[in-house]
Amino acid sequence: MKDVYILGIESSCDETSMSIIKNGCEEIATTVLTQMDTHAEYGGVVPEIASRMHTENITIVLEDLLKKSNMTVDQVDAIAVTYAPGLLGSLLVGVEAAKVLSLVYNKPLIATHHIAGHIYANNLVKPIEFPSLALVVSGGHTELVLMEGDYQFKVLGATKDDAIGEVYDKVARVLDLPYPGGPNVEKYALKGNHTYDLPVPMNNKDLEFSYSGLKSAVINIKHNAEQRGEEINKYDLARSFQDVAIDELVRKTKQALDEHREVKSVIVAGGVSANNYLREKMKELCEQENIDLCIPPMKYCTDNAAMIACAAYPKYLKGEFADLSLDAKSSLELY
Ligand code: AMP
Ligand code: MG
């Protein structure tokens, strides 16, 4: 069969990225331009600034990608783009760019879900073995997804309130740690001990998650200390929070595996999969359960277009193409 080259575009938050992927699993070249330093000045992503910067950066990213890959747009077989979920103004820049490339170069257009991208990033490591259990942990998602085959997503359990990444970011703010919150909480946790008593979220037997209680407990500890004129130990509070937050993910993953003995592999996907404590704990669990674990390398955990081109490949094979009426959506379920 002829090799298939897909040009992927990602602009759902604060990274402008393009990538060319061969046959859904082999990276030819990727360019990522992050706006992190700009948003750090504001303590978080400012949507209006993000979309303006995507507009400024998108052609720069394309030029850089074509130079690095030594290819032309004419040589690719399809254009894939993240169309949901994310910041609407940011998504629109990528979607419009993809439509223009598709029209001008007469290439099929493939609409890709951002979270499917995080899941399919694992194909860059090795082919996903089905049935697979995906733990999706990001700024907007905390869910356990059973995949019986390509694009056959069955959500077994999801968060009833806050997403785990969101809570990491909130805890960072409570502890006065700079943006981006998640990685900084992890850094502090590394130097702390588990000394604070925090409630275990959703201490039950189903596969739902809830993180708002844990979040409130951290906020209360900080407020109570302030009222007493005491200092909290940021390192210990970060560590206590991380232990409880991550152990809950691992516990529920084990429960899902117990309920689905047919599962052949576990995938961890989304921005929080960059967390080393989570990576270690999931490795321990999968060794115990004697099951294959796949976590993307760090560079594919943060937002990138390589994962978007990977996720587009099964759609390319099935001929599932979008037309020029494609619109961005700020929220959209995976299934
Ligand atoms: P995403 O929504 O997939 O783009 O992932 C972004 C989320 O992942 C943000 O909420 C980050 O705070 C979080 N995140 C990134 N790195 C880490 C880390 N090392 N530990 C915990 N959370 C992280
Ligand atoms: Mg993401």
Side-chain angles (χ1 to χ4, degrees), residues 190-262:
L190 263 182
K191 296 185 194 154
N193 296 307
H194 191 144
T195 57
Y196 288 94
D197 196 18
L198 293 167
V200 174
M202 296 293 276
N203 203 355
N204 60 5
K205 283 276 168 207
D206 68 26
L207 296 173
E208 305 288 321
F209 297 90
S210 167
Y211 278 106
S212 67
L214 179 61
K215 178 181 78 178
S216 303
V218 173
I219 296 171
N220 288 342
I221 288 174
K222 167 86 183 295
H223 283 173
N224 291 343
E226 270 171 4
Q227 275 164 1
R228 289 198 299 267
E230 291 168 9
E231 282 282 315
I232 49 159
N233 182 319
K234 291 186 186 183
Y235 299 100
D236 288 353
L237 189 48
R239 172 63 187 274
S240 308
F241 160 74
Q242 173 156 285
D243 282 357
V244 175
I246 301 287
D247 289 354
E248 176 68 357
L249 296 176
V250 178
R251 189 171 73 83
K252 290 281 161 86
T253 306
K254 176 168 179 357
Q255 206 170 306
L257 287 175
D258 288 345
E259 288 172 25
H260 294 274
R261 304 306 315 181
E262 73 276 19

Side-chain angles (χ1 to χ4, degrees), residues 23-74:
N23 300 333
C25 62
E26 196 184 312
E27 185 178 31
I28 304 298
T30 301
T31 298
V32 182
L33 207 56
T34 180
Q35 311 169 1
M36 193 163 23
D37 292 345
T38 305
H39 298 293
E41 290 177 35
Y42 302 90
V45 178
V46 184
E48 291 77 8
I49 297 179
S51 49
R52 183 151 32 93
M53 288 184 80
H54 283 304
T55 313
E56 288 164 9
N57 291 342
I58 198 122
T59 46
I60 300 171
V61 169
L62 177 61
E63 272 173 26
D64 185 72
L65 174 76
L66 295 178
K67 203 158 94 193
K68 270 204 280 206
S69 62
N70 208 11
M71 288 178 75
T72 62
V73 181
D74 262 325

Side-chain angles (χ1 to χ4, degrees), residues 2-8 19-21 28 62 65-66 69 71-80 101-102 105-108 316:
K2 175 187 165 295
D3 287 326
V4 174
Y5 293 87
I6 298 181
L7 191 160
S19 174
I20 297 176
I21 298 288
I28 304 298
L62 177 61
L65 174 76
L66 295 178
S69 62
M71 288 178 75
T72 62
V73 181
D74 262 325
Q75 288 172 302
V76 305
D77 298 284
I79 311 290
L101 291 176
S102 158
Y105 292 91
N106 195 24
K107 304 288 177 186
Y316 178 88

Side-chain angles (χ1 to χ4, degrees), residues 1 19 61 64 74 99 123 215 233 266 289 300 312-313:
M1 205 180 90
S19 174
V61 169
D64 185 72
D74 262 325
K99 286 202 248 182
N123 274 341
K215 178 181 78 178
N233 182 319
V266 171
E289 301 283 317
Y300 300 126
Y313 183 65

